[in-house]
Amino acid sequence: MSTQRAQFGTRLGVIATTVGSAVGLGNIWRFPYEAGAHGGGAFLLIYIGFIFLIGVPVICAEFIMGRGTRRNIFGAFRTLHSNRCWAWVGYMGILASILILSFYSVVAGWTIEYLVEAVSGSLDTAGNGAELHNRFDHFVSGWRPVMWTLAFLAVNAVILFRGVRGGIEKASNILMPVLFVILIIFCINSLLLPKAGEGLWFMFHPDFSKVDSGTLIGALGQAFFSLSLGLGTLMTYSSYFSDSTPLVKSAVTTASLDTVVAILAGIIIFPAVFTYGCEPAAGPKLVFEVLPAIFHQMPGGTLWAILFFFLLFLASLTSTISMSEICIAFFCEQTGMSRRNATLLNTGIAMGLGTLCALSFGPMSNFTIAGLTVFNLFDYLSSNILLPLGGMLISIFVGWIVDRRLVRSQLAGTGNLPHLLLRAITFCLRYVAPAGILLVFLSGLNII
Ligand code: TRP
């Protein structure tokens, strides 16, 4: 491995790449359906609490390990501690990254289908709840989702092989702000819908009687998923930060922007859910049922639809590239495999598992394990269990095991860090994050 590592040139580059990894289908597809399934307002409040009390400190922990060692997740643990047991956090990250890549590609495949339909003009149909529901059900019960999943993974692989990432990332740095602007326009549009008030009430009025262990696990899993946290993505990115990048500030900015995008998505979706008579707890299909109705009532709806799905497709691609990279780096560095073969292996596994996920809404919808379809099982296992568990171990590692001087010098960087802030972050890493995650797990097992 060369000792001279590339570095991000500008502070904006740092923010654009970390936010680019964080913002994706997690915000626009997963957040609204999780919030919808878990009662809206109360979920949102708990989610925001988890983002800032657990998410931000764990991002700092990943940053400290990444920039402190300038290695990937395996190298970072090995450099900081001789005990090989910690490498298991890395293995867990790889398992989670493959599971996530498999089901994420299915949803990215849905965006391709909707993009193609928007371009061909067939997306533009007036909708009421039942019609929108049937339309999506008809699509997912066939084989087309499998075709799009495989197509998406193939595009992902081509980018990974060719190393044209630079271009994609540069393009997305320009296009993601465009996505942001479009989301704001859609928000205004949704706020003008007849039942906007009901939607906003659902999303922002916390009804704590609806909170149960499912809400807590769902909110924690969503926080980790949306921040790309717990499997070493941000650790790897931060190994390219320059010494003067302020870690705490970058962590807070990333978390805030990511949360803003999720809230915007909620403001777009829930007014429409109530206006068109959809079911907020519809699960993974929620957003795809509601969006066509939104486009239909917008002037120039087809063009908006094309733009929206294209940008969502790109946002998903930048996320899957970062996910695949973890697994590819592992195969290359730990087994000496060529990059090409590692990419083929990663893509092959994801294509196999992704096909099962894609069929979970149709031909394989009756095949369940522990009451969950393959798609839901992969999502639940990775987001709600493996990522928080990885985050818990990373926070324990940085809070208790890593040399305090390294933690302090990394957090302070080339500037000064207020003593109180250092203490607050260390406290969160030592106690709040591990205990919080443990309590959520225990509540899920009905132990407390
Ligand atoms: N955070 C991304 C999203 O919201 C998904 C993602 C990318 C991810 N890389 C990750 C999730 C690593 C978990 C871990 O769409």
Side-chain angles (χ1 to χ4, degrees), residues 365-383:
S365 57
N366 290 328
F367 179 79
T368 56
I369 299 169
L372 298 171
T373 60
V374 179
F375 181 101
N376 288 336
L377 180 73
F378 282 14
D379 185 354
Y380 191 88
L381 195 64
S382 52
S383 316

Side-chain angles (χ1 to χ4, degrees), residues 18-31 47 62 93 96-97 100 103-104 221-234 237 258 315-316 318-324 326 382-383 387:
T18 46
V19 174
S21 154
V23 172
L25 292 170
N27 310 61
I28 291 164
W29 156 73
R30 201 174 186 281
F31 174 80
Y47 173 73
E62 285 211 17
S97 77
I100 295 177
F103 74 82
Y104 202 94
Q222 176 59 22
F224 273 84
F225 186 89
S226 195
L227 294 173
S228 307
L229 211 50
L231 53 75
T233 309
L234 296 182
Y237 275 179
D258 187 68
S316 332
T318 51
S319 294
T320 50
I321 290 170
S322 78
M323 259 173 241
S324 317
I326 300 208
S382 52
S383 316
L387 297 183

